[in-house]
Amino acid sequence: MAKAYLISIYSEIHDPEKLKAYATDALPALQAHGATPLARGSEIVSKEGSQPLRTVVMEFDRMEAAKKAYESEEYKGALAKLEGGVDRQLFLIEGL
């Protein structure tokens, strides 16, 4: 069974305090559903396209676990703290 990844690419951070509050709750919420943090930060070397401010990569054992993590009540609570604080893309992708 293929692993799955949650990838979040931040293009703007409007409210660092909201991001901090979100991150405090988001990590344990995702880990409770099997997430393993692989990368998180702002030291990024962009080779093509626009430079993101921050990127996060989480690994899950399977896509169903990633979907359940994102849709969990715990993660929804973290998302509520982030509302309006950032512009980002977040997606789930199945590994090879």
Side-chain angles (χ1 to χ4, degrees):
M1 190 170 280
K3 295 198 181 252
Y5 301 88
L6 179 151
I7 300 172
S8 184
I9 300 169
Y10 293 75
S11 57
E12 295 287 335
I13 297 173
H14 305 291
D15 189 332
E17 291 304 313
K18 284 186 173 186
L19 178 58
K20 185 177 179 180
Y22 159 79
T24 298
D25 290 352
L27 182 59
L30 295 172
Q31 287 179 312
H33 292 274
T36 300
L38 297 182
R40 180 173 71 178
S42 57
E43 190 169 330
I44 301 165
V45 177
S46 182
K47 297 295 188 180
E48 295 183 23
S50 59
Q51 174 76 24
L53 293 179
R54 179 178 176 81
T55 299
V56 176
V57 179
M58 298 280 183
E59 181 181 69
F60 293 85
D61 285 338
R62 52 191 170 73
M63 181 60 84
E64 189 59 35
K67 289 177 183 177
K68 284 184 179 181
Y70 184 83
E71 295 165 3
S72 71
E73 292 303 315
E74 300 89 353
Y75 188 70
K76 287 178 185 177
L79 277 176
K81 293 180 177 183
L82 183 61
E83 190 170 335
V86 302
D87 292 335
R88 70 178 182 170
Q89 291 182 303
L90 186 145
F91 50 93
L92 306 176
I93 184 170
E94 190 171 57
L96 300 174

Short mmCIF file of all heavy atoms in Angstrom, two decimals, residues 49-88:
data_model
loop_
_atom_site.label_atom_id
_atom_site.label_comp_id
_atom_site.label_asym_id
_atom_site.label_seq_id
_atom_site.Cartn_x
_atom_site.Cartn_y
_atom_site.Cartn_z
N GLY A 49 9.77 28.35 -10.28
CA GLY A 49 8.53 28.90 -9.74
C GLY A 49 8.79 29.91 -8.64
O GLY A 49 9.93 30.32 -8.39
N SER A 50 7.72 30.30 -7.98
CA SER A 50 7.83 31.33 -6.94
C SER A 50 8.34 30.72 -5.63
O SER A 50 8.12 29.55 -5.33
CB SER A 50 6.49 32.01 -6.73
OG SER A 50 5.52 31.07 -6.36
N GLN A 51 9.01 31.53 -4.85
CA GLN A 51 9.60 31.12 -3.57
C GLN A 51 8.53 31.10 -2.48
O GLN A 51 7.95 32.14 -2.18
CB GLN A 51 10.71 32.11 -3.18
CG GLN A 51 11.32 31.88 -1.82
CD GLN A 51 12.29 30.71 -1.79
OE1 GLN A 51 12.85 30.33 -2.80
NE2 GLN A 51 12.48 30.15 -0.62
N PRO A 52 8.23 29.93 -1.89
CA PRO A 52 7.30 29.92 -0.76
C PRO A 52 7.96 30.47 0.50
O PRO A 52 9.19 30.42 0.63
CB PRO A 52 6.96 28.43 -0.60
CG PRO A 52 8.11 27.71 -1.19
CD PRO A 52 8.69 28.60 -2.25
N LEU A 53 7.16 30.98 1.40
CA LEU A 53 7.68 31.47 2.68
C LEU A 53 7.95 30.31 3.64
O LEU A 53 8.85 30.36 4.46
CB LEU A 53 6.70 32.43 3.33
CG LEU A 53 6.49 33.76 2.62
CD1 LEU A 53 5.47 34.60 3.38
CD2 LEU A 53 7.80 34.51 2.50
N ARG A 54 7.11 29.28 3.52
CA ARG A 54 7.18 28.15 4.46
C ARG A 54 6.57 26.94 3.76
O ARG A 54 5.63 27.06 2.98
CB ARG A 54 6.38 28.51 5.71
CG ARG A 54 6.30 27.48 6.78
CD ARG A 54 5.49 28.05 7.97
NE ARG A 54 5.31 27.07 8.98
CZ ARG A 54 6.21 26.74 9.90
NH1 ARG A 54 7.37 27.34 9.93
NH2 ARG A 54 5.96 25.82 10.81
N THR A 55 7.10 25.76 4.07
CA THR A 55 6.55 24.52 3.54
C THR A 55 6.53 23.46 4.63
O THR A 55 7.43 23.42 5.48
CB THR A 55 7.38 24.02 2.33
OG1 THR A 55 7.34 25.03 1.31
CG2 THR A 55 6.85 22.73 1.77
N VAL A 56 5.50 22.63 4.61
CA VAL A 56 5.36 21.54 5.57
C VAL A 56 5.07 20.26 4.78
O VAL A 56 4.25 20.26 3.86
CB VAL A 56 4.20 21.81 6.56
CG1 VAL A 56 4.00 20.62 7.49
CG2 VAL A 56 4.46 23.08 7.35
N VAL A 57 5.75 19.16 5.15
CA VAL A 57 5.50 17.86 4.55
C VAL A 57 5.31 16.84 5.67
O VAL A 57 6.17 16.70 6.54
CB VAL A 57 6.68 17.41 3.64
CG1 VAL A 57 6.39 16.04 3.03
CG2 VAL A 57 6.97 18.44 2.57
N MET A 58 4.16 16.17 5.65
CA MET A 58 3.83 15.12 6.62
C MET A 58 3.60 13.82 5.86
O MET A 58 2.99 13.82 4.78
CB MET A 58 2.55 15.46 7.39
CG MET A 58 2.62 16.71 8.21
SD MET A 58 3.47 16.34 9.75
CE MET A 58 3.34 17.92 10.54
N GLU A 59 4.05 12.72 6.43
CA GLU A 59 3.87 11.40 5.81
C GLU A 59 2.85 10.59 6.59
O GLU A 59 2.86 10.61 7.83
CB GLU A 59 5.20 10.66 5.78
CG GLU A 59 5.12 9.30 5.12
CD GLU A 59 6.47 8.60 5.13
OE1 GLU A 59 6.93 8.22 6.23
OE2 GLU A 59 7.05 8.46 4.04
N PHE A 60 2.01 9.87 5.86
CA PHE A 60 1.03 8.95 6.44
C PHE A 60 1.24 7.57 5.81
O PHE A 60 1.71 7.47 4.68
CB PHE A 60 -0.40 9.41 6.15
CG PHE A 60 -0.78 10.69 6.85
CD1 PHE A 60 -0.47 11.91 6.28
CD2 PHE A 60 -1.46 10.66 8.05
CE1 PHE A 60 -0.82 13.09 6.92
CE2 PHE A 60 -1.80 11.84 8.69
CZ PHE A 60 -1.49 13.06 8.12
N ASP A 61 0.83 6.53 6.51
CA ASP A 61 0.97 5.17 5.99
C ASP A 61 0.11 4.90 4.77
O ASP A 61 0.44 4.06 3.94
CB ASP A 61 0.65 4.13 7.06
CG ASP A 61 1.77 4.01 8.09
OD1 ASP A 61 2.91 4.38 7.76
OD2 ASP A 61 1.49 3.55 9.20
N ARG A 62 -1.01 5.63 4.66
CA ARG A 62 -1.91 5.43 3.52
C ARG A 62 -2.78 6.67 3.34
O ARG A 62 -2.92 7.48 4.26
CB ARG A 62 -2.77 4.18 3.70
CG ARG A 62 -3.50 4.11 5.00
CD ARG A 62 -4.14 2.74 5.25
NE ARG A 62 -4.64 2.62 6.59
CZ ARG A 62 -5.72 3.22 7.07
NH1 ARG A 62 -6.42 4.01 6.31
NH2 ARG A 62 -6.10 3.04 8.31
N MET A 63 -3.38 6.81 2.18
CA MET A 63 -4.20 7.97 1.86
C MET A 63 -5.40 8.10 2.80
O MET A 63 -5.74 9.20 3.22
CB MET A 63 -4.66 7.92 0.40
CG MET A 63 -5.49 9.11 -0.01
SD MET A 63 -4.67 10.72 0.14
CE MET A 63 -3.79 10.76 -1.42
N GLU A 64 -6.02 6.99 3.14
CA GLU A 64 -7.19 7.05 4.01
C GLU A 64 -6.85 7.69 5.35
O GLU A 64 -7.64 8.47 5.91
CB GLU A 64 -7.79 5.66 4.21
CG GLU A 64 -9.13 5.67 4.91
CD GLU A 64 -10.21 6.49 4.19
OE1 GLU A 64 -10.24 6.53 2.95
OE2 GLU A 64 -11.03 7.11 4.90
N ALA A 65 -5.68 7.40 5.89
CA ALA A 65 -5.25 8.00 7.16
C ALA A 65 -5.05 9.50 7.01
O ALA A 65 -5.41 10.28 7.89
CB ALA A 65 -3.96 7.34 7.65
N ALA A 66 -4.48 9.92 5.89
CA ALA A 66 -4.27 11.36 5.65
C ALA A 66 -5.60 12.08 5.56
O ALA A 66 -5.78 13.17 6.13
CB ALA A 66 -3.46 11.56 4.37
N LYS A 67 -6.56 11.49 4.86
CA LYS A 67 -7.89 12.10 4.74
C LYS A 67 -8.57 12.20 6.10
O LYS A 67 -9.16 13.24 6.44
CB LYS A 67 -8.76 11.28 3.79
CG LYS A 67 -8.35 11.39 2.34
CD LYS A 67 -9.23 10.49 1.49
CE LYS A 67 -8.82 10.49 0.04
NZ LYS A 67 -9.65 9.55 -0.76
N LYS A 68 -8.50 11.13 6.88
CA LYS A 68 -9.12 11.14 8.21
C LYS A 68 -8.47 12.18 9.11
O LYS A 68 -9.15 12.85 9.89
CB LYS A 68 -9.05 9.75 8.85
CG LYS A 68 -10.04 8.79 8.28
CD LYS A 68 -10.00 7.45 9.00
CE LYS A 68 -11.02 6.51 8.41
NZ LYS A 68 -11.03 5.21 9.08
N ALA A 69 -7.16 12.33 9.02
CA ALA A 69 -6.46 13.32 9.83
C ALA A 69 -6.94 14.72 9.48
O ALA A 69 -7.25 15.53 10.37
CB ALA A 69 -4.96 13.20 9.62
N TYR A 70 -7.01 15.02 8.19
CA TYR A 70 -7.43 16.36 7.76
C TYR A 70 -8.87 16.65 8.16
O TYR A 70 -9.22 17.77 8.52
CB TYR A 70 -7.26 16.53 6.24
CG TYR A 70 -7.59 17.93 5.81
CD1 TYR A 70 -6.65 18.95 5.91
CD2 TYR A 70 -8.86 18.24 5.33
CE1 TYR A 70 -6.96 20.24 5.55
CE2 TYR A 70 -9.18 19.54 4.97
CZ TYR A 70 -8.23 20.53 5.08
OH TYR A 70 -8.54 21.82 4.74
N GLU A 71 -9.72 15.63 8.12
CA GLU A 71 -11.14 15.81 8.41
C GLU A 71 -11.48 15.63 9.89
O GLU A 71 -12.64 15.78 10.28
CB GLU A 71 -11.95 14.83 7.56
CG GLU A 71 -11.82 15.15 6.08
CD GLU A 71 -12.28 14.03 5.16
OE1 GLU A 71 -12.78 12.99 5.64
OE2 GLU A 71 -12.14 14.20 3.94
N SER A 72 -10.48 15.36 10.73
CA SER A 72 -10.74 15.11 12.15
C SER A 72 -11.17 16.39 12.88
O SER A 72 -10.84 17.51 12.48
CB SER A 72 -9.47 14.55 12.83
OG SER A 72 -8.48 15.55 12.94
N GLU A 73 -11.92 16.21 13.94
CA GLU A 73 -12.36 17.35 14.75
C GLU A 73 -11.17 18.10 15.35
O GLU A 73 -11.19 19.32 15.45
CB GLU A 73 -13.32 16.88 15.85
CG GLU A 73 -14.65 16.39 15.31
CD GLU A 73 -15.38 17.43 14.47
OE1 GLU A 73 -15.44 18.61 14.87
OE2 GLU A 73 -15.89 17.06 13.39
N GLU A 74 -10.13 17.36 15.74
CA GLU A 74 -8.95 17.99 16.33
C GLU A 74 -8.27 18.92 15.31
O GLU A 74 -7.88 20.04 15.65
CB GLU A 74 -7.94 16.94 16.80
CG GLU A 74 -8.46 15.99 17.85
CD GLU A 74 -9.12 14.74 17.27
OE1 GLU A 74 -9.31 14.64 16.04
OE2 GLU A 74 -9.47 13.86 18.07
N TYR A 75 -8.15 18.45 14.09
CA TYR A 75 -7.50 19.28 13.07
C TYR A 75 -8.39 20.45 12.67
O TYR A 75 -7.90 21.55 12.44
CB TYR A 75 -7.09 18.46 11.85
CG TYR A 75 -6.26 19.27 10.90
CD1 TYR A 75 -4.96 19.64 11.25
CD2 TYR A 75 -6.76 19.71 9.69
CE1 TYR A 75 -4.19 20.43 10.40
CE2 TYR A 75 -6.00 20.48 8.83
CZ TYR A 75 -4.72 20.85 9.20
OH TYR A 75 -3.97 21.63 8.36
N LYS A 76 -9.70 20.23 12.62
CA LYS A 76 -10.62 21.33 12.33
C LYS A 76 -10.49 22.44 13.38
O LYS A 76 -10.57 23.63 13.06
CB LYS A 76 -12.06 20.83 12.27
CG LYS A 76 -12.36 20.03 11.02
CD LYS A 76 -13.79 19.53 11.03
CE LYS A 76 -14.06 18.64 9.85
NZ LYS A 76 -15.43 18.08 9.89
N GLY A 77 -10.27 22.05 14.62
CA GLY A 77 -10.06 23.03 15.69
C GLY A 77 -8.79 23.84 15.46
O GLY A 77 -8.77 25.06 15.67
N ALA A 78 -7.74 23.18 15.00
CA ALA A 78 -6.50 23.88 14.69
C ALA A 78 -6.71 24.83 13.52
O ALA A 78 -6.25 25.99 13.55
CB ALA A 78 -5.38 22.88 14.38
N LEU A 79 -7.41 24.37 12.50
CA LEU A 79 -7.68 25.21 11.32
C LEU A 79 -8.45 26.47 11.69
O LEU A 79 -8.21 27.54 11.13
CB LEU A 79 -8.47 24.42 10.27
CG LEU A 79 -7.68 23.53 9.35
CD1 LEU A 79 -8.63 22.76 8.44
CD2 LEU A 79 -6.69 24.33 8.53
N ALA A 80 -9.38 26.36 12.63
CA ALA A 80 -10.16 27.53 13.05
C ALA A 80 -9.25 28.62 13.62
O ALA A 80 -9.50 29.81 13.43
CB ALA A 80 -11.21 27.11 14.08
N LYS A 81 -8.17 28.22 14.29
CA LYS A 81 -7.23 29.19 14.84
C LYS A 81 -6.40 29.89 13.77
O LYS A 81 -5.87 30.96 13.98
CB LYS A 81 -6.30 28.51 15.85
CG LYS A 81 -7.01 28.04 17.08
CD LYS A 81 -6.06 27.38 18.05
CE LYS A 81 -6.81 26.97 19.31
NZ LYS A 81 -5.91 26.40 20.31
N LEU A 82 -6.29 29.27 12.60
CA LEU A 82 -5.48 29.80 11.51
C LEU A 82 -6.26 30.74 10.60
O LEU A 82 -5.66 31.55 9.88
CB LEU A 82 -4.91 28.64 10.68
CG LEU A 82 -3.97 28.99 9.54
CD1 LEU A 82 -2.73 29.71 10.05
CD2 LEU A 82 -3.60 27.74 8.77
N GLU A 83 -7.57 30.69 10.65
CA GLU A 83 -8.42 31.40 9.69
C GLU A 83 -7.99 32.85 9.46
O GLU A 83 -7.88 33.65 10.38
CB GLU A 83 -9.87 31.38 10.16
CG GLU A 83 -10.82 31.88 9.12
CD GLU A 83 -12.27 31.65 9.50
OE1 GLU A 83 -12.55 30.73 10.28
OE2 GLU A 83 -13.09 32.39 8.99
N GLY A 84 -7.69 33.15 8.18
CA GLY A 84 -7.29 34.49 7.79
C GLY A 84 -5.84 34.83 8.09
O GLY A 84 -5.38 35.91 7.74
N GLY A 85 -5.12 33.92 8.70
CA GLY A 85 -3.75 34.21 9.11
C GLY A 85 -2.69 33.96 8.05
O GLY A 85 -1.58 34.49 8.14
N VAL A 86 -3.04 33.16 7.04
CA VAL A 86 -2.07 32.81 5.99
C VAL A 86 -2.78 32.63 4.65
O VAL A 86 -3.98 32.41 4.60
CB VAL A 86 -1.28 31.51 6.32
CG1 VAL A 86 -0.54 31.62 7.63
CG2 VAL A 86 -2.19 30.30 6.29
N ASP A 87 -1.99 32.69 3.59
CA ASP A 87 -2.40 32.22 2.27
C ASP A 87 -1.53 31.01 1.99
O ASP A 87 -0.29 31.11 2.09
CB ASP A 87 -2.17 33.27 1.19
CG ASP A 87 -3.08 34.48 1.34
OD1 ASP A 87 -4.17 34.35 1.93
OD2 ASP A 87 -2.70 35.56 0.85
N ARG A 88 -2.16 29.89 1.66
CA ARG A 88 -1.38 28.68 1.41
C ARG A 88 -2.14 27.74 0.51
O ARG A 88 -3.36 27.87 0.31
CB ARG A 88 -1.03 27.97 2.71
CG ARG A 88 -2.23 27.34 3.39
CD ARG A 88 -1.83 26.60 4.64
NE ARG A 88 -3.00 25.96 5.25
CZ ARG A 88 -2.95 25.11 6.22
NH1 ARG A 88 -1.80 24.78 6.75
NH2 ARG A 88 -4.04 24.58 6.72
#
